[in-house]
Amino acid sequence: MKNITQPIGYIKGEGAGPDTIKAALLVLKTIEKIKKIKFRLIEYNGKAPALKYTKDSYDQLKNFYHQIHEEKGCIIRGGIYARQVYKLRHDFHSTYKPILIDPMPELFENSPFKKNFASKLNLLILRENAQGLLMSKEKLRIQNGNRKFEGKFYYDERLCKYFVDMCYKAAQERNKKIMFLIKGDVWNRKNFGGMWLNLWQNLNKKYSDVEFDWEHEDTWFGNFLNHPEQYSTVAALGIAADLITDPIAVLAYGTRAVTPSANIAPDGFMTFQTIHGAGTNIPRGKANPIAMIRTLGLMMDYFYKMPEMRNLIDKSIRKVLFKGYGTMDIYIKNNKKHKLVGTKIMTDLIINEMLR
């Protein structure tokens, strides 16, 4: 049995995190069995990453990230407080975040728009993830008894260039078209808005086979709803990308809990997570583990260069869904084909399909 030296750090997180991470680790053991390899796992044992920001918990999380980073490993994690997530992405330059929302016919019935929309959708959203407004530093001023809040944020051109370069590479592997979303008529072309558009246009010379275009981030969503088949690879900045990702996942699948994502830095450091948060309102044992298991699939593909394992995971999930099994978020009541299951049974069903 071959030992894989690059470690996998895992953080259980809050809410549904412990259940879904446990599911991912069971699938990881299955991959070990199939590939006859052994991964090195390192668990985060610091303070629970509470759903509020504390310097102590952040410092412990950052130290854990440093440990895995120094050992040239990667991290998979459950939900933790957003402010800590943003700061970790910023501190480790995790600027490139791919989110794939691909067709899943087994869930067309769950889409609010049904098959006529969901079947036309095959979208890769690329989110700039480590800079901008979400990372801004706030300052309070009181003037004549009135509170004024100021925010300061920045974009590092080197990180921006890396992000654009990665986006073009992703588009090359799809339909060789990319759409960048930015509020072009608001941001001063001489400042960072112009920097972004210049980067896209200049790097397009390197990727001359890719067709580049941009749209206003506020009007694009309406165009997308009318013609989802026209878009394949879409890049956007922080908040704008955040605001389109979760709604599109729900429109495609009826839930956010089947969509994975990755966070990638220029030095190759990667962390992996679902697109949704902690899920604190989900009863223990009831959470949908599919997004976290698919996130593990992304890790196998992007970090460990085992795309066949990602493909096996996705095929196995689709077979289970085809048989009508679903957790509480995708189970359709009064549908004779559907069978309601919890986190463990869903995970076991997926593993059984992987081993067939």
Side-chain angles (χ1 to χ4, degrees):
M1 181 173 285
K2 180 182 176 182
N3 289 325
I4 305 296
T5 58
Q6 296 165 291
I8 298 173
Y10 67 95
I11 303 170
K12 293 179 179 178
E14 300 286 344
D19 283 343
T20 56
I21 287 290
K22 183 178 180 180
L25 295 180
L26 288 172
V27 172
L28 192 66
K29 287 183 178 295
T30 306
I31 293 172
E32 289 180 328
K33 184 176 181 179
I34 293 170
K35 299 288 288 185
K36 295 181 173 54
I37 56 177
K38 184 70 176 176
F39 291 101
R40 184 159 66 97
L41 300 179
I42 303 178
E43 181 180 358
Y44 172 72
N45 286 317
K47 283 189 174 180
L51 297 177
K52 63 180 182 178
Y53 182 90
T54 67
K55 186 178 185 305
D56 188 25
S57 65
Y58 177 75
D59 287 344
Q60 290 187 49
L61 282 165
K62 186 175 181 179
N63 289 338
F64 182 72
Y65 269 55
H66 270 304
Q67 177 190 351
I68 303 301
H69 181 263
E70 288 172 3
E71 295 190 42
K72 301 189 184 307
C74 62
I75 289 173
I76 187 169
R77 64 164 185 81
I80 59 179
Y81 182 55
R83 186 178 165 196
Q84 299 191 98
V85 173
Y86 300 151
K87 195 164 170 46
L88 287 165
R89 289 171 181 164
H90 175 269
D91 288 352
F92 288 86
H93 305 307
S94 302
T95 188
Y96 178 71
K97 181 174 183 176
I99 303 157
L100 181 62
I101 304 177
D102 51 351
M104 200 172 286
E106 298 78 12
L107 293 177
F108 283 168
E109 195 174 359
N110 293 67
S111 168
F113 292 167
K114 307 302 179 188
K115 184 178 178 180
N116 63 333
F117 173 84
S119 62
K120 299 175 183 177
L121 171 61
N122 191 345
L123 188 66
L124 177 65
I125 301 174
L126 304 171
R127 176 184 174 187
E128 196 295 308
N129 210 36
Q131 306 175 88
L133 205 55
L134 286 174
M135 318 300 168
S136 63
K137 294 182 178 180
E138 297 181 7
K139 184 178 180 181
L140 168 63
R141 289 194 301 114
I142 300 178
Q143 188 174 20
N144 298 326
N146 182 46
R147 294 191 302 167
K148 292 185 177 182
F149 293 90
E150 297 177 350
K152 181 182 290 187
F153 65 91
Y154 73 88
Y155 284 99
D156 182 323
E157 189 170 13
R158 288 171 299 179
L159 281 180
C160 297
K161 185 175 181 180
Y162 169 78
F163 174 77
V164 173
D165 193 66
M166 292 290 284
C167 290
Y168 271 122
K169 288 178 180 176
Q172 274 187 323
E173 295 177 3
R174 290 172 64 81
N175 72 343
K176 300 189 186 310
K177 292 183 179 180
I178 190 159
M179 176 69 66
F180 177 54
L181 308 182
I182 190 170
K183 190 66 174 170
D185 56 352
V186 172
W187 304 123
N188 190 328
R189 294 295 183 94
K190 295 180 180 179
N191 295 326
F192 86 81
M195 178 202 69
W196 274 111
L197 292 176
N198 287 338
L199 281 173
W200 282 103
Q201 290 162 355
N202 290 337
L203 277 171
N204 193 224
K205 298 169 186 174
K206 176 181 176 182
Y207 299 96
S208 57
D209 58 328
V210 178
E211 180 183 330
F212 166 72
D213 201 0
W214 69 275
E215 284 190 25
H216 297 293
E217 57 193 18
D218 53 347
T219 58
W220 174 83
F221 194 67
N223 296 333
F224 165 76
L225 290 179
N226 283 321
H227 300 286
E229 72 282 356
Q230 291 185 0
Y231 301 95
S232 173
T233 310
V234 173
L237 307 181
I239 293 177
D242 216 11
L243 290 174
I244 64 174
T245 301
D246 286 18
I248 291 175
V250 173
L251 292 176
Y253 311 125
T255 180
R256 300 182 301 165
V258 300
T259 309
S261 72
N263 305 268
I264 303 174
D267 64 1
F269 181 54
M270 301 184 193
T271 62
F272 298 86
Q273 66 188 79
T274 66
I275 66 162
H276 58 77
T280 53
N281 61 337
I282 301 173
R284 292 303 300 269
K286 304 291 185 182
N288 187 340
I290 290 177
M292 193 66 78
I293 292 171
R294 293 188 77 201
T295 295
L296 182 69
L298 284 188
M299 179 192 290
M300 292 299 106
D301 187 357
Y302 290 175
F303 190 80
Y304 287 105
K305 309 303 181 188
M306 300 180 194
E308 71 280 6
M309 287 295 101
R310 177 184 174 185
N311 292 335
L312 177 62
I313 286 170
D314 281 348
K315 287 178 181 177
S316 300
I317 288 169
R318 290 187 59 181
K319 287 177 182 178
V320 172
L321 293 175
F322 179 77
K323 293 176 181 178
Y325 294 100
T327 46
M328 58 187 290
D329 57 320
I330 54 176
Y331 167 74
I332 299 178
K333 194 175 181 180
N334 299 324
N335 185 318
K336 292 182 180 180
K337 181 186 174 184
H338 278 234
K339 309 172 190 73
L340 179 63
V341 297
T343 312
K344 184 180 185 307
I345 292 178
M346 178 60 84
T347 305
D348 290 344
L349 289 166
I350 294 167
I351 288 171
N352 289 340
E353 291 292 344
M354 290 178 67
L355 292 172
R356 284 186 189 277

